[in-house]
């Protein structure tokens, strides 16, 4: 028969064993938890935030400050309240940036950005470095950003929609590298740049295919191309649209382009010349061909509303280009500055010359 009183009674644990068990529990259980909590607190502390800022500053070549650094999951860093500065000037503010890094790729997402043309120039400079320095940038890069442009300029650019939502893909394949920039939403706009044979600071060959159906501020285009004189001579308030297919090889540019520049500032165009003009105009390029770094053929027209121009400029047009005066020329007399109600001109360049 089974008798409960016949079961063996467990021995009472000794005090040394209890002490050892408690210490083991503290070491194995609570201590790692405390270390993890301390490490998490350090990752949210100012020293760690500053360490992340310094790493990004070294990679981007721009001053950065952040309000908060968060690690939502392994391999992902989220920066909040980001401010980018160049030479002390604020070029971009971004409420939230998420950076995800893997062995072969870097993904960056930025939302709510407020950026100036100088920020666009900075991004374009990094893209050129990525194309020409594979030893420095070994990973593919995908960037998605949305926000608004600031200080785009006056004129037509001031009335353009400042919002943007773009995706950039930087991909290496064989001995070539390519960058593609397009809107996040489906659309016809896209810029594709391919570089081949990057052995030094510059690739041996660069191919550019671009389509801009939606007008873009000329100031932004000049900043991206690192050609500030475009905005200085045509006016930063102008807007640009068009397409191009170009190849840069051995320092020579060849290819074709077509498009328009609306809101050209005639005062800016003539500022460095002996003649002056006032008003705004639109330049339409039906086609243009470059070979050996030179413009060899073009079909273009210029039109605009009211303005004024020096009589010397009209004399040049009649004497050099072969323009013919219309019926209103007789009423100009000896006036040095000639006002006009409308401006229109057509230019053709071909093997026969300019006319």
């Amino acid at each position: 028969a089974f008798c409960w009183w016949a079961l063996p009674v467990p021995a009472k644990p000794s005090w040394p064993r209890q002490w050892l068990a408690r210490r083991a529990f503290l070491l194995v259980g609570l201590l790692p938890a405390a270390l993890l909590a301390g490490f998490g607190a350090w990752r949210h502390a100012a020293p760690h935030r500053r360490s992340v800022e310094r790493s990004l500053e070294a990679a981007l070549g721009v001053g950065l400050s952040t309000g908060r650094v968060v690690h939502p999951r392994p391999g992902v860093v989220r920066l909040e309240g980001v401010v980018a500065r160049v030479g002390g000037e604020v070029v971009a503010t971004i409420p939230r940036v998420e950076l995800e890094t893997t062995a072969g790729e870097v993904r960056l997402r930025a939302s709510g950005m407020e950026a100036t043309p100088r920020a666009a120039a900075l991004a374009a400079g990094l893209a050129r470095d990525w194309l020409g320095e594979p030893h420095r940038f070994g990973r593919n890069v995908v960037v998605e950003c949305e926000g608004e442009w600031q200080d785009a300029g006056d004129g037509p650019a001031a009335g353009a929609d400042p919002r943007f939502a773009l995706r950039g893909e930087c991909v290496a394949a064989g001995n070539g590298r390519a960058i593609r920039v397009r809107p996040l939403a489906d659309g016809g706009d896209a810029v594709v740049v391919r570089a081949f044979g990057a052995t030094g600071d510059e690739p041996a060959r660069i191919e550019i295919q671009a389509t801009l159906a939606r007008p873009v501020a000329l100031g932004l285009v000049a900043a991206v191309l690192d050609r500030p004189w475009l905005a200085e001579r045509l006016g930063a308030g102008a807007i640009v649209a068009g397409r191009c297919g170009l190849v840069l090889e051995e320092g020579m540019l060849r290819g074709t382009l077509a498009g328009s520049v609306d809101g050209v500032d005639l005062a800016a165009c003539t500022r460095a010349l002996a003649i002056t003009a006032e008003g705004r105009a639109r330049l339409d390029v039906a086609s243009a061909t470059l070979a050996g770094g030179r413009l060899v053929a073009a079909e273009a027209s210029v039109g605009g509303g009211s303005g004024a121009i020096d009589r010397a400029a009209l004399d040049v047009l009649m004497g050099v280009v072969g323009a013919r005066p219309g019926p209103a020329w007789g009423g100009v007399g000896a006036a040095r500055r000639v006002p006009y109600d409308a401006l229109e001109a057509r230019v053709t360049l071909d093997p026969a010359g300019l006319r």
Side-chain angles (χ1 to χ4, degrees), residues 38-56 66 68-71 76-79:
F39 179 67
W42 175 80
R43 282 162 70 98
H44 288 81
H48 175 62
R49 186 178 74 245
R50 187 57 193 150
S51 174
V52 173
E53 290 173 356
R54 284 196 297 267
S55 298
L56 292 175
T66 61
R68 187 180 180 208
V69 175
V70 182
H71 298 265
V76 178
V77 179
R78 182 186 302 149
L79 310 177

Side-chain angles (χ1 to χ4, degrees), residues 32-128:
L35 290 174
L36 287 174
F39 179 67
W42 175 80
R43 282 162 70 98
H44 288 81
H48 175 62
R49 186 178 74 245
R50 187 57 193 150
S51 174
V52 173
E53 290 173 356
R54 284 196 297 267
S55 298
L56 292 175
E57 286 175 344
L60 301 177
V62 61
L64 284 177
S65 62
T66 61
R68 187 180 180 208
V69 175
V70 182
H71 298 265
R73 55 188 184 275
V76 178
V77 179
R78 182 186 302 149
L79 310 177
E80 298 177 358
V82 179
V83 179
R85 294 179 174 85
V86 175
E89 175 190 350
V90 176
V91 298
T93 58
I94 316 172
R96 175 171 166 167
V97 177
E98 192 168 280
L99 187 65
E100 183 176 358
T101 305
T102 64
E105 185 178 81
V106 176
R107 286 183 173 267
L108 187 147
R109 302 177 186 88
S111 57
M113 178 186 298
E114 293 184 355
T116 67
R118 196 164 182 183
L122 172 66
L126 289 171
R128 284 191 290 268

Side-chain angles (χ1 to χ4, degrees), residues 108-260:
L108 187 147
R109 302 177 186 88
S111 57
M113 178 186 298
E114 293 184 355
T116 67
R118 196 164 182 183
L122 172 66
L126 289 171
R128 284 191 290 268
D129 291 344
W130 187 90
L131 283 173
E133 303 179 37
H135 57 282
R136 178 183 168 194
F137 301 97
R139 297 174 179 170
N140 294 338
V141 180
V142 177
V143 178
E144 293 182 354
C145 58
E146 58 86 14
E148 291 188 0
W149 295 114
Q150 306 292 314
D151 303 326
D154 55 1
D161 188 352
R163 295 173 298 176
F164 65 87
L166 301 172
R167 176 183 173 91
E169 303 163 354
C170 307
V171 180
N175 70 333
R177 305 195 123 199
I179 294 178
R180 182 173 184 253
V181 180
R182 63 172 178 82
L184 282 174
D186 292 336
D189 291 359
V191 177
V192 179
V193 181
R194 298 182 179 89
F196 301 92
T199 56
D201 293 336
E202 292 291 338
R205 175 188 173 97
I206 297 177
E207 299 177 356
I208 304 170
Q209 295 285 336
T211 300
L212 295 177
R214 174 186 171 185
V216 179
L218 178 61
L220 290 174
V221 175
V224 169
L225 296 177
D226 193 23
R227 299 293 187 270
W229 56 266
L230 283 173
E232 294 170 0
R233 295 182 185 177
L234 299 180
I239 53 177
V240 181
R243 65 186 185 277
C244 72
L246 302 171
V247 176
L248 178 63
E249 193 170 17
E250 296 182 354
M252 297 293 184
L253 193 63
R254 68 176 186 274
T256 60
L257 58 89
S260 64

Side-chain angles (χ1 to χ4, degrees), residues 1-5 7:
F2 174 78
C3 300
W4 64 267
W5 59 81
L7 293 175

